[in-house]
């Protein structure tokens, strides 16, 4: 049985830019659907009703955020991470997350939220 978690990658700053608002909404919807917790950056505003872990603000590169997400997954016994990121950023986020998982020696499946394909950001 898998235990899902969500990792939401910001696409710039601040939290009110359209891409980050969309990423936050998709992350919240997916977390509710899967009864999952979220790991994200401070530029993604998540509804307080959803358990959320914010990565270290110094984790400003995609790979550093990915490493923080793997740490989050390990702490919460998560075996499946759903990525939410802007389409232009998605492939790099998935690549870096897979790399961070490989570095850690953990076994975590990586999926992405296809809902992001509906938005041009």
């Amino acid at each position: 049985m898998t235990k899902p978690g969500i990792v939401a990658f910001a696409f710039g700053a601040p939290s009110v830019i359209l891409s980050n608002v969309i990423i936050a909404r998709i992350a919240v919807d997916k977390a509710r659907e899967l009864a999952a917790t979220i790991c994200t950056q401070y530029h993604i505003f998540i509804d307080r009703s959803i358990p959320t872990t914010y990565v270290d603000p110094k984790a400003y590169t995609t790979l550093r955020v990915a490493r923080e997400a793997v740490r989050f997954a390990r702490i919460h016994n998560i075996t499946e991470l759903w990525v939410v990121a802007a389409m232009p950023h998605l492939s790099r986020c998935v690549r870096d997350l897979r790399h961070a998982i490989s570095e850690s020696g953990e076994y975590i499946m990586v999926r992405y939220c296809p809902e992001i394909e509906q938005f041009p950001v």
Side-chain angles (χ1 to χ4, degrees):
M1 176 146 244
T2 61
K3 181 176 179 188
I6 313 295
V7 57
F9 290 86
F11 193 56
S15 62
V16 295
I17 62 174
L18 182 59
S19 57
N20 288 343
V21 171
I22 292 168
I23 289 165
R25 171 164 276 185
I26 292 170
V28 166
D29 289 349
K30 187 59 78 173
R32 285 187 176 132
E33 174 189 330
L34 300 174
T37 60
I38 297 174
C39 177
T40 192
Q41 297 170 271
Y42 284 96
H43 299 300
I44 303 293
F45 177 75
I46 301 298
D47 182 313
R48 291 181 186 207
S49 68
I50 304 293
T52 304
T53 298
Y54 288 93
V55 301
D56 183 338
K58 295 176 186 167
Y60 50 86
T61 67
T62 305
L63 183 56
R64 286 184 183 178
V65 173
R67 287 176 176 145
E68 292 272 334
V70 171
R71 200 169 302 122
F72 155 83
R74 185 181 311 122
I75 290 167
H76 295 282
N77 298 313
I78 290 169
T79 57
E80 177 182 69
L81 281 173
W82 286 80
V83 175
V84 186
M87 282 305 295
H89 193 210
L90 183 61
S91 63
R92 182 174 33 162
C93 293
V94 169
R95 180 200 66 200
D96 286 1
L97 185 57
R98 285 186 175 140
H99 180 78
I101 291 167
S102 178
E103 282 179 338
S104 74
E106 297 289 327
Y107 177 78
I108 302 168
M109 284 190 295
V110 176
R111 301 184 188 281
Y112 80 95
C113 295
E115 295 87 348
I116 200 68
E117 294 175 355
Q118 299 171 15
F119 299 96
V121 293

